[in-house]
Amino acid sequence: MLVPLFAVLLFLAAIVTAFWYLRHEEIEREEESIQRDLGVVHQQIHQQLLDDQDVLLRLTREIVHHELTSARFTYQMASPLLNRSEIIGVSWLDGNGQEQARALSPSLEPALVEAPGAASPAGLPASSAQLFETVRSERMPRFTPPYRTRGGQVMFQLWVPILDEGRYSGVLVADLDVDGLLRALVPSDVAQRHLISLIDEQGRWLAGTSGMASPSRQRELLTQTMALSPISTRMLLRGEGFRASVGLIGNTLVWMVLALSALTVWTLFGSWRHMQRRTQIQRALERETTFRRTMENSMPTGMRAMDREGRITYVNPSFCALTGFAEHELVGHLPPFPYWPPGRIEENTRLLQQELSGRTPAAGVEVKLMRRDGSQFDARMYVSPLIDTTGAQTGWMTSITNITDAKRIRDQLTAAHERFTTVLEGLDAAVSVRSVTHGELLFANRSYRLWFGTDPRWHALLAGEQPEPTTAPTSFGEDNSDDLGGLPAAELTQASSEVREVRVLALDKWFEVRTRYLQWTDGRLTQMLIATDVTARRQFEEQAARQAERAQASSRLITMGEMASSVAHELNQPLTAIANYCSGMVSRVKTGSLSQESLIDALEKTSRQAQRAGQIIHRIRTFVKKSEPQRQPTRAESIVEDTLELANIELRRRNVSIQSYVARRLPQLHVDPILIEQVLLNLIRNAAEAIDTSGMPKSRRHVELRVTPRHVPDMGGAIEFSVSDSGPGMKPEVQERLYEAFFSTKAEGMGIGLSLCRSIIESHQGRIKAENLYNGETITGCRFSFTLPVGTGAETFQPAEPS
Amino acid sequence: MSLLPKKGTVYVVDDDEAVRDSLQWLLEGRDYRVRCFDSAEAFLSRFDPREVACLIADIRMDGMSGLELQDRLLERKSPLPIVFITGHGDVPMAVTTMKKGAIDFIEKPFKEDALLELIERMLNQASVAFEQYQEQLNREALLSRLTTREAQVLQRIVAGRLNKQIADDLGISIKTVEAHRANIMEKLGANTVADLLKIALGAQQQPTKV
């Protein structure tokens, strides 16, 4: 910017300098020319004036010599006057200053001139007399300063003394016309070139070559002055140069140059500003372009632009990177494109047609593309129309994303989800998730749907919340309803899952139910429930428990049975031997082949076997003695508690409910709690079994256990335990044989239970009795009760023999 | 004691000494030869299969049980008839023994008549079996006298093939076959083909089941 400005200024300076120089040159030349012309004119005028002087001097001599008289003066003067245009007239003054003669230039209008040689012409500074005296004293010719006549003519006079033998005898006065002088003496070419004028000492213009020259001219002129010396006319010759045209032209040029320069500077400035603006715009554009390019390059999305014929017009580096083809290989390519897998050209062509017709779905299309190395990848393609600046569509812009990874991840996710779902679906357990607040079922696996459909109420039921009317409440003692509604989710979800077992009557299944609170995928608080079908396990457990119970309950019975079997075998041996010996003896006695010794021997052997049998019996008696009840202070409540605990399984299995009542402040018992529990348990189980096997309706499926104080006449204070059922009661023949050992109404019963119970109770000095309960004539149930005396501890246990 | 000939031998196997002794006392009173063993192992080591005898064994014994004893005897292809003594609750076991070929079981204490009747039955059976056993031994002895070739010829005769066919089968002449045949008849002491068949087939049969 500065350089062109500087150049312009330099140029301007050069131009100005050149002009100045030219002008200076011209002025100098002009001045020289003027000088020269002035010199020439000066020379001429000088010469002329000297000639005039000479002429006058010659005349004086003629006068002195009297060759010229005053009469002939005019005549004599004619020719010099005629030849000299500047001399208007010559006057001859004698020594006294009297005019002797006078001659006038014939070309001059006499009227227009003052009388030549007038003694003191008007305008002459010094008077004629003075001059006359001066000339007489000096005795030298003398020029007067110029003066202006009344007619406006600028004149001067030449006074030449007439000397006769050194005596002053008059004077010749010549009137010289300045104008005429110049007119005659300035050559015409000089006059054309320059304005030659005469001025007085004061600078007043006297005469000039041209009328147009005037001192009032505005233009500055080149002026040279030269004194008209040596003649002392007190006039200056002035030369003025005509250079008007040159100056005008020069000025115009300068102004034009200046104007042009200014214009150039302005233009320069304008262009500089323009440049600056351009630069800014360019920078912005570059920034934008770089930004876009960076964006384009950094974008993993491949971009491809096509014209309306499907020719590729642009691809970005990502696209190249995706496909492995170089940009120049793709741009300008027409379909089929090299990155189409060979086996999918048809499909891709169809997609391209779809694309070109603008029917590609906005969500994009999934395509399979091939890299240069032949490997294929999945890509998602989005298409948008390519609009140029005029708003016309020029093609299509396609963006392509490699979704192989995404797809793989998605596939993996799907597979994982499928696996997860398969696992969940394949679970034997029912899994369900229910919103706590809305109670809707959010998830249910196959098992759940299979068992419960999609009814969320089953979830609630299994979770132990308030049972729905449609779902029969079957859970025993599982009434701890869920009161967690107001708790924060975090606490709930961290709470450990509880495990419970619930029986669902409609399915006749037992479920082990685990619930836990969790935050669902949308943040809702939900309850997850896993219900495992444990019917088989439950049944097995029940069976095992039953067996264990039976084993426990009848451990003594079994011991007894085993003992009986063992006793039978043990006794058999000696009995057999005795029988054999006897038979042998009998047969021998019959045949008479029996000697006395052998008889004695056999008899001794027989006796030994009888003793052996006796010993066996004795052993049994000592064994039985060892199994006396271990009495200890016991509270009736704890007996009832323990018994109920044991009985619950059986009751639950048989779907029989039990109510127990234990009177307060009962005295302590001194009994073997295990045995009493066994008795009580036996009675409860019998009751439950009676209800269950007879298929009682729901209203009659309950057992009542009461423990109350009672006064028995022969025992004093006692506590009565009674078990009442609402079963079918006992038949009279059963009632008769109730305590008979090995009598049973049950298919699998051994017939020991009640008889053993009686043994136990009686061993505790108690009484047991059974009775039917009646409502009018109808049997409404059956009641077993036994009493235990209070405070009995000293009595010994006598095993009750089953009768 | 008694000079009457013994009716047969009765083996008694029981781990209870009193029962054993009393049983011996009883049976000897009935003129049986009684040999007692206190365990199955002792019995197996000493019993003589060539004797006409029967076995009374307790089903429950220390050491080898009665059932095992029966199995061992079956392994030996012994024709010895067996009766088991059972105690209380051994009935299912006794049934098993009967399925395996025991004659019967008796419960303690014994009823004398039933016991004696059983022993009589067993001894009868034992004598029949013993005879069959003897015959079998004889036949085998006869057949063992035949040469290999003669045995081959006999095999084909029994199979009902003609001399000519036998000759073709064995690659020998009919004359040779006839000669072999004559030798076989002579060696086995058979006069007819029917006798020949009886000897040959009897020998090939398994020991007669009791």
Side-chain angles (χ1 to χ4, degrees), chain A residues 569 572-573 576-577 580-581 583-585 587-588 598 602 605 609 612, chain B residues 16 18-19 21-23 25-26 28-30 60 88 108-110 112:
Chain A
H569 185 76
N572 242 345
Q573 306 290 70
T576 305
N580 287 349
Y581 286 130
S583 301
M585 280 186 281
S587 59
R588 278 178 178 78
S598 60
K605 282 179 181 171
Q609 291 307 311
R612 181 184 166 195
Chain B
D16 190 292
V19 174
D21 188 67
S22 65
L23 204 53
W25 170 261
L26 172 69
E28 276 174 356
R30 295 289 180 174
R60 280 210 275 191
H88 174 77
K108 287 190 268 190
F110 312 125
E112 192 186 357

Side-chain angles (χ1 to χ4, degrees), chain A residues 26 34 201 283 319 330 349 375 395 412 541 577 761 774:
Chain A
E26 186 194 309
I34 293 168
E201 285 176 315
R283 249 185 236 140
F319 190 87
L330 293 173
T349 309
S375 58
Q412 282 173 352
E541 275 175 3
I761 297 304
Y774 291 93

Side-chain angles (χ1 to χ4, degrees), chain A residues 218-374:
Chain A
Q218 293 293 314
R219 253 180 303 149
E220 188 193 350
L221 293 175
L222 286 174
T223 309
Q224 293 281 332
T225 53
M226 194 179 281
L228 270 179
S229 57
I231 49 172
S232 157
T233 58
R234 296 186 190 175
M235 283 197 297
L236 295 170
L237 190 62
R238 187 170 74 176
E240 289 173 291
F242 298 98
R243 42 178 203 91
S245 62
V246 175
L248 184 69
I249 292 164
N251 275 345
T252 311
L253 273 174
V254 165
W255 285 117
M256 274 176 72
V257 165
L258 280 173
L260 278 173
S261 294
L263 198 68
T264 308
V265 169
W266 180 77
T267 312
L268 209 59
F269 182 70
S271 88
W272 174 70
R273 288 201 44 192
H274 181 68
M275 278 275 287
Q276 216 149 25
R277 221 167 42 235
R278 277 288 297 268
T279 314
Q280 274 177 1
I281 290 169
Q282 196 171 342
R283 249 185 236 140
L285 196 67
E286 265 174 27
R287 259 203 312 276
E288 183 74 13
T289 312
T290 316
F291 172 69
R292 290 200 176 268
R293 183 148 298 261
T294 314
M295 207 163 73
E296 231 170 59
N297 291 354
S298 67
M299 200 164 49
T301 307
M303 308 288 290
R304 178 194 68 182
M306 293 188 306
D307 62 14
R308 307 203 71 158
E309 281 77 47
R311 179 184 286 107
I312 296 178
T313 55
Y314 166 80
V315 286
N316 75 339
S318 289
F319 190 87
C320 295
L322 273 177
T323 56
F325 288 96
E327 189 176 347
H328 63 84
E329 286 173 295
L330 293 173
V331 171
H333 210 290
L334 275 167
F337 299 123
Y339 50 79
W340 285 0
R344 290 173 174 265
I345 291 199
E346 212 168 287
E347 183 194 337
N348 278 319
T349 309
R350 187 178 52 75
L351 282 172
L352 184 79
Q353 291 308 321
Q354 192 181 339
E355 196 178 334
L356 289 177
S357 55
R359 283 183 285 111
T360 308
V365 185
E366 211 165 280
V367 290
K368 210 162 187 63
L369 299 180
M370 188 179 68
R371 293 197 186 85
R372 193 197 190 97
D373 57 13

Side-chain angles (χ1 to χ4, degrees), chain A residues 495-648:
Chain A
S496 59
S497 61
E498 49 174 327
V499 183
R500 65 167 86 221
E501 295 199 353
V502 179
R503 185 180 187 189
V504 177
L505 262 189
L507 293 167
D508 193 26
K509 279 180 188 298
W510 278 95
F511 289 99
E512 184 189 87
V513 179
R514 287 164 198 274
T515 54
R516 85 175 282 144
Y517 288 90
L518 46 85
Q519 278 197 301
W520 196 236
T521 47
D522 56 1
R524 263 190 290 180
L525 178 65
T526 54
Q527 186 189 44
M528 183 178 74
L529 178 141
I530 302 172
T532 317
D533 181 4
V534 292
T535 312
R537 195 190 79 196
R538 185 82 185 198
Q539 282 169 351
F540 175 77
E541 275 175 3
E542 273 179 22
Q543 204 172 348
R546 211 156 51 232
Q547 281 168 353
E549 248 181 89
R550 188 181 292 163
Q552 192 189 0
S554 60
S555 61
R556 287 169 206 229
L557 304 183
I558 287 164
T559 314
M560 202 181 203
E562 276 187 353
M563 194 176 71
S565 170
S566 170
V567 164
H569 185 76
E570 285 276 302
L571 278 175
N572 242 345
Q573 306 290 70
L575 290 177
T576 305
I578 289 166
N580 287 349
Y581 286 130
C582 291
S583 301
M585 280 186 281
V586 167
S587 59
R588 278 178 178 78
V589 167
K590 278 181 182 168
T591 56
S593 61
L594 184 63
S595 66
Q596 201 173 2
E597 297 85 52
S598 60
L599 176 65
I600 291 166
D601 186 40
L603 283 171
E604 279 174 353
K605 282 179 181 171
T606 309
S607 152
R608 273 206 299 280
Q609 291 307 311
Q611 281 168 15
R612 181 184 166 195
Q615 275 169 359
I616 292 169
I617 299 297
H618 182 72
R619 275 213 316 278
I620 293 168
R621 289 182 69 94
T622 36
F623 172 79
V624 168
K625 272 203 169 179
K626 282 179 193 164
S627 59
E628 268 187 52
Q630 274 106 52
R631 293 184 181 224
Q632 59 192 71
T634 315
R635 298 190 59 81
E637 287 96 328
S638 70
I639 292 176
V640 170
E641 268 173 37
D642 292 349
T643 309
L644 285 178
E645 205 171 297
L646 290 170
N648 253 333

Side-chain angles (χ1 to χ4, degrees), chain A residues 642-660:
Chain A
D642 292 349
T643 309
L644 285 178
E645 205 171 297
L646 290 170
N648 253 333
I649 302 169
E650 175 90 9
L651 288 168
R652 221 181 283 178
R653 187 172 67 85
R654 296 200 180 273
N655 196 20
V656 173
S657 63
I658 188 162
Q659 285 178 317
S660 64

Side-chain angles (χ1 to χ4, degrees), chain B residues 1-2 9 27-29 34 48 51 71 85-86 95 114 130 132 142 144 151 154 162 167 170 199 206 209-210:
Chain B
M1 293 192 279
S2 173
T9 308
L27 294 178
E28 276 174 356
V34 179
D48 180 4
E51 219 171 356
D71 288 341
I85 309 163
T86 67
V95 170
F130 184 74
Q132 284 175 349
L142 285 174
S144 67
L154 177 61
L162 300 173
L170 298 174
I199 295 167
Q206 293 298 314
K209 279 208 166 182
V210 186

Side-chain angles (χ1 to χ4, degrees), chain A residues 434-491:
Chain A
R434 196 183 72 138
S435 164
V436 170
T437 46
H438 297 90
E440 60 185 312
L441 207 58
L442 299 173
F443 175 82
N445 76 341
R446 192 183 57 84
S447 297
Y448 185 93
R449 297 194 299 273
L450 197 68
W451 285 328
F452 312 114
T454 53
D455 194 346
R457 287 177 305 182
W458 285 102
H459 180 110
L461 172 74
L462 288 169
E465 290 168 23
Q466 67 285 359
E468 299 289 328
T470 55
T471 57
T474 52
S475 52
F476 294 91
E478 302 276 10
D479 54 348
N480 45 341
S481 65
D482 193 62
D483 290 328
L484 299 170
L487 285 179
E491 283 179 30

